[in-house]
């Protein structure tokens, strides 16, 4: 049996050897045929390439600028691939000769820019800063969904009297109430902007809306201080007139005749719902020496600041009591000196000087440029205008801002073809709430402007 197996294996092996020999005999012929075919194809390709009309090669001109740029790039690449610790000093030029060659080459370059092959890049759109309303965050603020707002105050005394006998609503009793009502005023704006401009200028729309909001704040800030809501209109008076807010300066109460070093008496105004009600009398301190009608006069003294603080009733010396002062008057206060030429407030440490805004005699200072300047602005004969460059008091009790719940901000894209129309509207009112909580500083009563 084993012999037969061996014979079959030998036969298989002989057959395989015969097949291998046959294949090996065919290999040289196949290789030779492939070589001939490849040579034929290469010759055809060379002929085709030779027939193509190729332009002459552009010779890259070596420049000093290119060498400098390449050297700088290599240094930066090495820096970023390394540890990148500390600073890296870049070597711009190999020697003085390369520097001179670089400058000479640069001097011969044509100017770039529009029409010269240059490319313009753009800085992000921005707007100049506006001073917003400094009375926001200083005054008490309430919100309403109504069109008017009414204040109510209990006035008078219960009439407590010493003695064992019962004082039943006797003569000393003066209990009463007083009300006044304000209509919320409206400030609005509508303006179009070309859609092409909005498309071409990145960030324009966001800046337009942001600046519009700041402009609203600026307008209300000016109206809260200097507007008189008893005369004029929004189209004739910049601060609004009868269409604007009830400004602090319009409140009565100052002495009829300027009397340096004295303070008038605060009192509630008339009661009712008419437009003239609620015009309270504010306690007004007259500066020791009037600035009269002299341009740039600023005769405030250290004693003026002390007197003004003590003019405020003691019960209103609270943590929320603050100064609101014109930057021009604050500059004069900080510049006050004693007889030896030393700054008074710094020497007695009664004015904290952490930057421009700090504390004055222990009370926070809010700087508001919308307040009056201490003196008239241009030369003129004496007038009858009073200047109020500083206020002091408990603002959370003394003054209130009434806001409508929502401000309207809309964007219309179908109102005017080719334009986007923006519309903003805000409604608010302001009022002195408790006249006893504020003291006003008057620097002159005879300014002309």
């Amino acid at each position: 049996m084993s012999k037969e197996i061996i014979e079959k294996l030998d036969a298989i092996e002989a057959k395989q050897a015969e097949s291998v020999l046959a294949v090996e005999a065919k290999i040289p012929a196949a290789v030779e045929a492939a070589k001939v075919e490849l040579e034929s194809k290469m010759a055809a390709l060379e002929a085709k390439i030779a027939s193509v009309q190729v332009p002459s090669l552009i010779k890259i001109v070596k420049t000093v600028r290119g060498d400098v740029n390449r050297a700088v790039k290599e240094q930066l690449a090495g820096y970023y691939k390394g540890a990148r610790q500390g600073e890296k000093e870049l070597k711009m030029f190999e020697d003085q000769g390369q520097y001179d060659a670089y400058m000479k080459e640069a001097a011969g370059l044509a100017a770039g820019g529009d029409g010269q092959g240059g490319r313009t890049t753009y800085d992000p759109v921005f707007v100049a800063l506006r001073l917003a309303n400094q009375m926001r965050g200083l005054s008490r603020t309430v919100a309403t969904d109504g069109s008017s707002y009414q204040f109510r105050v209990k006035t008078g005394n219960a009439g407590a009297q010493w003695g064992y006998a019962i004082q039943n609503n006797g003569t000393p009793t003066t209990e009463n109430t007083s009300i006044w009502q304000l209509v919320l005023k409206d400030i609005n704006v509508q303006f179009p902007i070309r859609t092409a401009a909005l498309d071409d200028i990145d960030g324009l729309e966001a800046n337009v809306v942001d600046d519009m909001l700041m402009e609203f704040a600026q307008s209300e800030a000016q109206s809260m201080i200097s507007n008189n809501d008893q005369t004029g209109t929004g189209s004739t008076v910049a601060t609004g007139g009868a269409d604007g807010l009830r400004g602090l300066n319009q409140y009565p109460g100052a002495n009829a005749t300027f009397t340096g070093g004295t303070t008038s008496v605060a009192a509630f105004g008339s009661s009712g719902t008419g437009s003239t009600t609620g015009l309270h009398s504010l306690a007004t301190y007259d500066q020791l020496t009037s600035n009269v009608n002299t341009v740039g006069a600023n005769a405030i003294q250290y004693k003026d600041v002390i007197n003004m603080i003590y003019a405020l009733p003691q019960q209103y010396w609270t943590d929320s009591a603050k100064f609101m002062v014109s930057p021009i008057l604050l500059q004069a206060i900080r510049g006050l000196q004693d007889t030896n030429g030393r700054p008074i407030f710094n020497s007695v440490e009664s004015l904290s000087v952490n930057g421009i805004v700090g504390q004055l005699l222990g009370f926070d200072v809010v700087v508001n440029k919308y307040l009056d300047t201490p003196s008239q602005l241009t030369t003129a004969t004496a007038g009858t205008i009073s200047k109020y460059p500083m206020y002091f008091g408990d603002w959370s009790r003394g003054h209130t801002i009434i806001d409508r719940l929502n401000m309207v901000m809309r964007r219309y894209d179908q109102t005017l073809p080719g334009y986007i129309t923006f519309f903003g509207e805000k409604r608010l009112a302001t009022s002195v709430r408790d006249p006893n909580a504020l003291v006003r500083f008057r620097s002159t009563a005879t300014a002309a402007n």
Side-chain angles (χ1 to χ4, degrees), residues 220-235:
E220 71 174 34
Q222 294 169 336
S223 191
M224 284 184 189
I225 298 296
S226 57
N227 188 53
N228 185 340
D229 70 351
Q230 301 299 305
T231 181
T233 64
S235 59

Side-chain angles (χ1 to χ4, degrees), residues 407-447:
M407 177 180 177
V408 176
M409 183 65 64
R410 293 192 175 95
R411 180 182 188 272
Y412 301 97
D413 57 2
Q414 297 179 350
T415 304
L416 187 63
Y419 290 84
I420 298 296
T421 300
F422 294 88
F423 176 72
E425 184 179 34
K426 189 174 187 179
R427 298 179 66 187
L428 70 159
T430 56
S431 176
V432 168
R433 183 169 179 256
D434 183 354
N436 300 290
L438 297 175
V439 176
R440 184 168 55 185
F441 185 93
R442 182 166 65 165
S443 56
T444 179
T446 55

Side-chain angles (χ1 to χ4, degrees), residues 22-320:
V23 172
E24 289 178 349
K26 294 179 180 179
I27 288 175
V31 170
E32 189 64 28
K35 186 184 297 185
V36 172
E37 184 181 1
L38 180 61
E39 289 176 353
S40 175
K41 289 183 178 180
M42 289 295 295
L45 181 61
E46 288 175 358
K48 185 177 289 187
I49 292 174
S51 65
V52 176
Q53 298 296 325
V54 181
S56 59
L57 296 177
I58 299 174
K59 183 179 180 180
I60 300 177
V61 180
K62 185 177 180 181
T63 63
V64 179
R65 183 181 181 184
D67 291 341
V68 172
N69 289 341
R70 189 181 305 108
V72 171
K73 289 179 181 178
E74 290 174 354
Q75 293 178 67
L76 289 174
Y79 173 70
Y80 280 104
K81 289 179 181 179
R84 288 191 289 178
Q85 295 180 353
E87 298 179 354
K88 170 68 176 177
E89 181 178 351
L90 298 178
K91 183 179 180 181
M92 296 288 294
F93 305 103
E94 291 294 337
D95 50 32
Q96 182 66 33
Q98 189 184 41
Y99 172 75
D100 294 338
Y102 178 87
M103 298 304 294
K104 183 177 180 180
E105 181 183 281
L109 295 176
D114 287 345
Q116 300 292 334
R119 182 176 62 183
T120 303
T121 55
Y122 298 94
D123 191 67
V125 177
F126 72 100
V127 296
L129 292 178
R130 298 177 187 266
L131 180 64
N133 190 358
Q134 299 298 295
M135 297 190 69
R136 295 282 183 180
L138 183 64
S139 302
R140 168 178 172 260
T141 302
V142 297
T144 179
D145 58 358
S147 59
S148 60
Y149 193 85
Q150 187 177 109
F151 292 87
R152 301 167 295 176
V153 59
K154 195 282 293 183
T155 61
N157 299 312
Q161 183 174 321
W162 290 100
Y164 187 75
I166 301 299
Q167 303 299 321
N168 183 17
N169 195 25
T171 303
T173 299
T174 58
E175 293 281 18
N176 204 344
T177 58
S178 179
I179 66 168
W180 64 99
Q181 186 168 303
L182 295 172
V183 176
L184 271 65
K185 304 298 184 176
D186 190 294
I187 179 172
N188 66 77
V189 67
Q190 171 189 298
F191 59 94
I193 296 182
R194 283 283 285 122
T195 53
L198 293 173
D199 290 340
D200 293 345
I201 306 175
D202 296 336
L204 176 61
E205 182 171 346
N207 279 273
V208 165
V209 173
D210 181 65
D211 190 52
M212 180 173 65
L213 294 175
M214 291 301 295
E215 187 176 345
F216 271 68
Q218 185 181 49
S219 296
E220 71 174 34
Q222 294 169 336
S223 191
M224 284 184 189
I225 298 296
S226 57
N227 188 53
N228 185 340
D229 70 351
Q230 301 299 305
T231 181
T233 64
S235 59
T236 60
V237 181
T239 54
D243 296 322
L245 304 176
R246 183 162 288 183
L248 283 173
N249 289 355
Q250 95 173 74
Y251 282 90
N255 291 325
T257 302
F258 189 97
T259 309
T262 64
T263 306
S264 61
V265 178
F268 284 98
S270 59
S271 179
T273 58
S275 61
T276 60
T277 59
L279 283 169
H280 314 306
S281 294
L282 294 185
T284 304
Y285 171 78
D286 287 344
Q287 187 173 277
L288 284 168
T289 302
S290 173
N291 290 338
V292 291
N293 64 318
T294 304
V295 177
N298 216 342
I300 190 170
Q301 302 176 35
Y302 175 73
K303 188 181 291 186
D304 285 319
V305 183
I306 300 297
N307 290 346
M308 185 177 183
I309 285 183
Y310 281 92
L312 184 71
Q314 184 179 350
Q315 61 269 30
Y316 294 101
W317 295 356
T318 62
D319 292 337
S320 58

Side-chain angles (χ1 to χ4, degrees), residues 286-367:
D286 287 344
Q287 187 173 277
L288 284 168
T289 302
S290 173
N291 290 338
V292 291
N293 64 318
T294 304
V295 177
N298 216 342
I300 190 170
Q301 302 176 35
Y302 175 73
K303 188 181 291 186
D304 285 319
V305 183
I306 300 297
N307 290 346
M308 185 177 183
I309 285 183
Y310 281 92
L312 184 71
Q314 184 179 350
Q315 61 269 30
Y316 294 101
W317 295 356
T318 62
D319 292 337
S320 58
K322 293 179 175 64
F323 283 96
M324 182 171 68
V325 58
S326 158
I328 298 176
L329 185 66
L330 182 60
Q331 179 185 19
I333 292 173
R334 285 199 161 177
L336 291 175
Q337 298 177 343
D338 61 17
T339 54
N340 294 319
R342 297 177 302 176
I344 292 177
F345 282 100
N346 287 0
S347 64
V348 299
E349 297 183 354
S350 54
L351 175 61
S352 300
V353 287
N354 296 325
I356 295 176
V357 183
Q359 288 190 327
L360 182 60
L361 295 172
F363 295 98
D364 289 339
V365 175
V366 175
V367 182

Side-chain angles (χ1 to χ4, degrees), residues 3-19:
K3 183 178 179 181
E4 294 176 353
I5 293 173
I6 293 173
E7 288 178 352
K8 288 183 178 181
L9 291 174
D10 289 340
I12 292 171
E13 184 177 356
K15 191 174 182 179
Q16 288 179 343
E18 184 179 350
S19 299

